[in-house]
């Protein structure tokens, strides 16, 4: 019979990963707030008195940056959701187990990508 430690990380390891994830969530939520505030603020740099050509260019650039900010915000929200799902896997003691191979995901990979659900082996199979 396989021991429990072969198919999951120890509680000590899980606690370390949880601390890492909570830190990443805090930073990610802070970044999301910055993105949202940049999106909400209408950065008018006082170009009302400059040439109409420049004004048209700036409005186009503003639209582009609003779209880029919107995409950034969407990606950031998904990242936060993935991190929070990883916390749930820690609580279920399934964190760090590859959803394809059932093997433990390498610790170094989890430190770099703490919300990973695939081992490198499984990722390469995709």
């Amino acid at each position: 019979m396989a021991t429990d430690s072969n198919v999951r990380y120890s509680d000590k390891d899980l606690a370390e990963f949880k601390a890492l994830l909570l830190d990443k969530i805090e930073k990610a939520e802070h970044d999301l707030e910055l993105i949202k505030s940049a999106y909400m603020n209408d950065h008018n740099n006082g170009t009302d008195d400059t040439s109409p050509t420049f004004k048209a260019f700036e409005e186009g650039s503003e639209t582009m940056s609003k779209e880029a900010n919107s995409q950034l915000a969407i990606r950031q929200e998904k990242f936060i959701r993935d991190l929070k799902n990883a916390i749930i896997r820690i609580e279920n003691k399934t964190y760090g187990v590859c959803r394809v191979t059932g093997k433990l995901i390498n610790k170094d990979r989890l430190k770099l990508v703490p919300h990973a659900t695939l081992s490198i082996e499984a990722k390469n199979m995709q």
Side-chain angles (χ1 to χ4, degrees), residues 29-83:
E29 286 177 337
H30 175 73
D31 290 348
L32 181 60
E33 285 309 308
L34 290 176
I35 293 165
K36 283 183 173 177
S37 69
Y39 181 78
M40 299 303 199
N41 287 341
D42 181 23
H43 292 297
N44 182 354
N45 294 329
T47 55
D48 297 333
D49 57 351
T50 57
S51 73
T53 314
F54 183 75
K55 184 129 179 74
F57 170 75
E58 189 167 87
E59 283 168 4
S61 149
E62 206 171 283
T63 303
M64 228 171 75
S65 68
K66 279 196 174 177
E67 284 175 22
N69 269 347
S70 172
Q71 288 302 312
L72 269 177
I74 290 166
R75 281 182 49 203
Q76 195 68 5
E77 284 167 351
K78 182 188 181 304
F79 179 55
I80 292 167
R81 191 172 59 241
D82 290 346
L83 292 170

